Amino acid sequence: MSSLPSLLPEDPAAPFPPVEQALRQPDGLLAVGGDLSPTRLLNAYRHGIFPWYSPGQPILWWSPDPRTVFDTAEVRLSSKFRRGLRRSAWTVRADTAFADVIDACASIRRPGQRGTWITLDMRAAYRQLHALGHAHSLEVFDGDRLVGGIYGVAVGRMFFGESMFSAESGGSKVAIAALAHHLHGWGWPLIDAQVENDHLVSLGARRMPRARFITHISALCESPGLPGPWSERVGDWPAARLAEPAPALGGP
C-alpha cells in the first residue's frame, strides 16, 4: 500500500483508485485533486468515497474503514425527547430550503472545530447536485423559522449524509430521525454517516467494516431511486409523529 494518496486525473469520469488503497493514517485518505463536478461526485459516492478538506487544501477524497452508518429503522430518540415531541409544533419538509440548510451547516459552531470544511466551492457543488435532483435536504421548521436540517446525496436507494445542524435544541435529532423514517418507508435501509462521533452514536449510528459497506452500497446504488425534488413526497410532516414508538426492525 502506498504511503501517499493517489493523484486524480483531470477527466471527471476517470475511475477512482480501489478503496482498499486508502491510507491507514490518516484513516481513509484515498486520493487528492480532481474537481467537484456532478460526474466526479456521483462516481465517488457510488464507490463509497467522499470529499472532505479544509480551505486552502487541495480536494481530498476519503473512504474510512470502518464506516459509520445508520439503519433507517433504528435511529434512536430518547423517551424523554419523544415525550417532548408530542407537544411540538415543528414541521418537517424536504427540498424547500436546501441552500439555507447547507449554509447553516457551514456556519454553525461545533465543539472542538475551528472553521468549516463546507467551503464555498463545496456549497456550490452540492447546490448543483440538488438542482440536478441528486442532493436533498430535510428541514425542520418552527413556523417559518428553520431550526434544524440535514443534507446529503441520494444514489439509487442509498442516502449519503453530509452534514446536519441545530439552530434550536433537538433540531438535528428531528432532522435525522425524520429522514430515517421516510427512507425506511421507501425501502431504503441505510444512511451513510461517514465518520463516527459521540452525537451520531447517541442516535444509534454503528460501525460497519468498509468491505461490507461497499458490498451493500454497490447493490443499493444500482436500485431504482427517487430522483428529483422530494418536497411533495414529504409535504408538511408533523415532527410530533416521531413521538410514536419506532418499529423494532434490523438493518443489513
Side-chain angles (χ1 to χ4, degrees), residues 116-176:
T116 181
W117 56 270
I118 308 174
T119 65
L120 292 176
D121 287 345
M122 288 276 275
R123 289 185 233 183
Y126 286 88
R127 284 197 298 267
Q128 186 176 10
L129 277 185
H130 173 66
L132 294 171
H134 301 298
H136 302 277
S137 60
L138 251 70
E139 309 117 15
V140 185
F141 285 92
D142 183 0
D144 293 330
R145 181 172 177 246
L146 184 65
V147 296
I150 185 171
Y151 77 95
V153 176
V155 182
R157 288 197 301 122
M158 182 66 202
F159 191 88
F160 299 90
E162 274 295 312
S163 188
M164 57 186 178
F165 83 98
S166 292
E168 293 287 345
S169 178
S172 65
K173 292 181 182 180
V174 169
I176 183 66

Side-chain angles (χ1 to χ4, degrees), residues 48-210:
I49 302 161
F50 59 88
W52 185 25
Y53 64 102
S54 298
Q57 290 182 324
I59 301 172
L60 304 177
W61 301 88
W62 302 78
S63 185
D65 186 15
R67 195 65 162 243
T68 300
V69 301
F70 284 101
D71 301 311
T72 58
E74 296 185 354
V75 172
R76 293 197 300 260
L77 298 176
S78 70
S79 297
K80 181 180 179 180
F81 189 77
R82 287 184 186 274
R83 286 196 299 271
L85 284 176
R86 292 172 189 163
R87 302 181 299 276
S88 176
W90 288 1
T91 57
V92 177
R93 301 169 193 151
D95 290 338
T96 68
F98 183 88
D100 294 332
V101 169
I102 194 170
D103 287 347
C105 288
S107 61
I108 200 80
R109 292 186 177 182
R110 305 177 193 273
Q113 178 178 308
R114 299 176 61 185
T116 181
W117 56 270
I118 308 174
T119 65
L120 292 176
D121 287 345
M122 288 276 275
R123 289 185 233 183
Y126 286 88
R127 284 197 298 267
Q128 186 176 10
L129 277 185
H130 173 66
L132 294 171
H134 301 298
H136 302 277
S137 60
L138 251 70
E139 309 117 15
V140 185
F141 285 92
D142 183 0
D144 293 330
R145 181 172 177 246
L146 184 65
V147 296
I150 185 171
Y151 77 95
V153 176
V155 182
R157 288 197 301 122
M158 182 66 202
F159 191 88
F160 299 90
E162 274 295 312
S163 188
M164 57 186 178
F165 83 98
S166 292
E168 293 287 345
S169 178
S172 65
K173 292 181 182 180
V174 169
I176 183 66
L179 173 65
H181 174 92
H182 285 88
L183 293 179
H184 179 63
W186 300 339
W188 299 37
L190 288 178
I191 298 171
D192 175 33
Q194 298 182 349
V195 180
E196 181 182 284
N197 63 43
D198 291 343
H199 181 56
L200 297 177
V201 171
S202 73
L203 294 171
R206 64 183 176 93
R207 295 179 177 183
M208 179 181 285
R210 182 174 58 207

Side-chain angles (χ1 to χ4, degrees), residues 183-246:
L183 293 179
H184 179 63
W186 300 339
W188 299 37
L190 288 178
I191 298 171
D192 175 33
Q194 298 182 349
V195 180
E196 181 182 284
N197 63 43
D198 291 343
H199 181 56
L200 297 177
V201 171
S202 73
L203 294 171
R206 64 183 176 93
R207 295 179 177 183
M208 179 181 285
R210 182 174 58 207
R212 188 178 176 199
F213 175 78
I214 296 299
T215 297
H216 281 308
I217 70 167
S218 295
L220 291 170
C221 287
E222 293 301 319
S223 301
L226 296 171
W230 291 353
S231 49
E232 291 188 5
R233 290 182 176 274
V234 174
D236 283 348
W237 194 79
R241 291 277 303 275
L242 294 171
E244 301 170 6

